Each structure stands twice: as C-alpha cells, then as structure tokens.
Amino acid sequence: MHYADYKTILSPQNGMNIYRGCSHGCIYCDSRSACYQMNHDFEDIEVKRGAPAILETQLRRKRKPGMISTGAMCDPYIHLENELQITRQCLALIASYKYGLAIQTKSARILRDMDILKEINTNAKCVVQTTLTTYDEDLCLKVEPNVSTTKERYRVLEAMKDEGIPTLVWLCPTLPFINDTEENLRGLLDYCIKAKVRGILCFGFGVTMRAGNREYFYRKLDEQFPGIKQQYISHFGNSYECNSPHSSRLMTVFQDMCRQQAILYKASDIFAYLRSLEPEGRQMALFQ
C-alpha cells in the first residue's frame, strides 16, 4: 500500500475511485491492462490521500444532487477497506449530501455499510451491483481466489432485497473452455431470480484480453488449468474479444430467461436506470 496525492475524486460524470489496484486476484481482471497506465504493481494498492475531504469539497460545489458511481475500475471493498474505512467515510458524505449511489463490488464487506446504504436509498437512490462469474464454488476459488465466493455474493443480493435496496448483476466474464456452459449460466440466473435483481448486464459470452491482463491471465491458466492457454492462443491469437463458441446458444437462454422473469437486460435500459436519480418505483415503471 502507498498513498498518492490527487486533486479530485469525482470525474465529470460523477465516477469515483478511491483506490487504484486490487487484492482480489481475479485472473481475468481488465484493470491490469497497460492502457490504464497504473505505474505501480497492481497489488501495491494506491490510496488517494484525503479522499473524503476532497469528495466533500467537490460535493459542495455541485449545483444539484445526482448519482455517484463507484467500483467500475477498482473495487471499493478491497481488503484494506477493513482497516482504512475510506469507502465508508465517502458513503457517509454521499448520504449527507443526499446524492444517489450506484456501487459495484465483489465483496460481502459491503454488508458492513448497510446502515448508510439504507439511508442513501431512503433519501435518494442506492443501487448495489455485483459480478457473478461462475456457479461452481470450487471453480470460483480458482478464478477469483481472494474475494467473496459466488454464494456469498448471492447472499449479499438477498440481504439487499430484504432491505429494499435494488440490485444489478454483471454477468461477466465468461471464460471460454472453462465456464461457458449452459449449466453454469442457468445456475447464475437462478441466483438472480431468487434475489429478485432488477437487471442483468451481459455484453456477450466471452472475455477481453489486451496487453497487461493477457500475460497475467495466461500465467494463471498455466497454474490452474494446464493446456487451456494453448486453446486460447489457437482460437483467439491476440484478439481483444475472446468469445465462447457457445455464445449464440447462451445468449438465447439468457434473453429468454430475463424476458420470462421481467428482468432488465438491455444495456441501454440498465444504464438509464443507473444514471437516473428517480425513486425506485417511478423509474422501474418506465421499463414496464
């Protein structure tokens, strides 16, 4: 861990990242990509010094509340958050200024802050998002070794449902030759249905690879799945998009199930929902 000085915490679009780097160890992580110009080891977490104070300064200058998003690049609930509690401090400010929140995490640590999430959802709108990758718990420990398992994340979704906090799932990535099966997909969709998620984002069934994350991914494939790396090289070469040969069939299953269960699945609808500060009931009515 190391600290670095920043002038801002919020982007012009109200995106917020408190940490840079991650300790979750997901073998496919796109945030390792060289294009993000992270000039330190990925596991050497960079902490933005004075993040809560910077955030409050920016919130004071805003003309009116809106939705703040966090977790797209770096998870707000990495292991360091247990000790530093910077995410919690920032969430308290978001609640105080009556902003909305769209927060994304793979960690059950978010349950610690249920009190603040409920306050945000009462005064504005709070949407909790998580990624579900593999239904098989043993496989989950291989591809996402240092983070809450799929079942634990499902329990987070259930806990949010019980408190009236809306949830979304990112159904990604699908790793060709590893978890690109209909059995895996149906297991994850079953979790989503039981937890009554509002929407599921799925940009296809595959994984993206580019300089930085490809090398790490291949190294981990050699450790965990001997022989699979050669299938990737043979099928995809240096392609950015590595799509499962079963993509078409899996997409049909996914879309049919979402339509049957009245779950949002079109990206345009879901992002409109995430951007809007409209209360839950009124906003969802737009998509009926």
Side-chain angles (χ1 to χ4, degrees), residues 163-180:
E163 296 294 345
I165 296 174
T167 56
L168 295 173
V169 161
W170 293 66
L171 199 65
C172 59
T174 298
L175 305 178
F177 320 120
I178 295 176
N179 70 333
D180 56 339

Side-chain angles (χ1 to χ4, degrees), residues 22-40:
C22 190
S23 53
H24 286 164
C26 303
I27 69 173
Y28 50 76
C29 182
D30 176 71
S31 293
R32 291 180 181 274
S33 299
C35 64
Y36 298 121
Q37 300 178 336
M38 200 170 293
N39 299 317
H40 55 86

Side-chain angles (χ1 to χ4, degrees), residues 8-188:
T8 62
I9 293 298
L10 289 179
S11 72
Q13 294 76 37
N14 280 353
M16 179 177 74
N17 283 299
I18 296 164
Y19 303 109
R20 279 176 61 83
C22 190
S23 53
H24 286 164
C26 303
I27 69 173
Y28 50 76
C29 182
D30 176 71
S31 293
R32 291 180 181 274
S33 299
C35 64
Y36 298 121
Q37 300 178 336
M38 200 170 293
N39 299 317
H40 55 86
D41 290 340
F42 195 68
E43 286 76 16
D44 177 19
I45 311 299
E46 184 171 279
V47 182
K48 298 185 178 182
R49 195 192 318 272
I54 298 171
L55 174 63
E56 183 163 24
T57 297
Q58 288 191 268
L59 292 178
R60 277 203 202 107
R61 292 173 178 170
K62 296 279 187 180
R63 292 184 177 180
K64 61 180 182 179
M67 291 292 288
I68 292 176
S69 62
T70 189
M73 273 294 296
C74 297
D75 199 302
Y77 288 101
I78 56 175
H79 298 79
L80 278 174
E81 176 60 20
N82 280 341
E83 171 190 352
L84 300 180
Q85 299 198 26
I86 300 175
T87 294
R88 181 172 176 84
Q89 294 173 56
C90 289
L91 295 189
L93 286 168
I94 291 169
S96 175
Y97 282 84
K98 293 183 169 52
Y99 272 68
L101 175 70
I103 187 167
Q104 185 178 349
T105 183
K106 294 180 183 176
S107 175
R109 291 185 188 89
I110 193 173
L111 295 175
R112 178 201 66 187
D113 296 335
M114 182 68 84
D115 58 331
I116 304 179
L117 300 176
K118 288 167 62 177
E119 182 181 353
I120 293 171
N121 200 47
T122 297
N123 294 328
K125 175 180 171 184
C126 179
V127 184
V128 171
Q129 307 161 78
T130 194
T131 298
L132 297 183
T133 305
T134 174
Y135 185 71
D136 185 301
E137 291 287 285
D138 291 332
L139 181 56
C140 180
L141 293 173
K142 289 183 177 182
V143 300
E144 301 163 333
N146 305 322
V147 71
S148 299
T149 68
T150 302
K151 187 173 290 186
E152 289 168 337
R153 279 175 257 169
Y154 162 66
R155 289 170 181 156
V156 167
L157 295 172
E158 284 278 7
M160 297 299 162
K161 178 191 69 174
D162 292 343
E163 296 294 345
I165 296 174
T167 56
L168 295 173
V169 161
W170 293 66
L171 199 65
C172 59
T174 298
L175 305 178
F177 320 120
I178 295 176
N179 70 333
D180 56 339
T181 66
E182 187 172 330
E183 178 184 15
N184 180 67
L185 174 60
R186 289 189 180 279
L188 296 176

Side-chain angles (χ1 to χ4, degrees), residues 189-207:
L189 290 175
D190 186 53
Y191 274 156
C192 293
I193 293 167
K194 289 179 179 177
K196 298 187 185 303
V197 303
R198 300 302 196 262
I200 306 173
L201 273 165
C202 176
F203 298 102
F205 291 91
V207 63

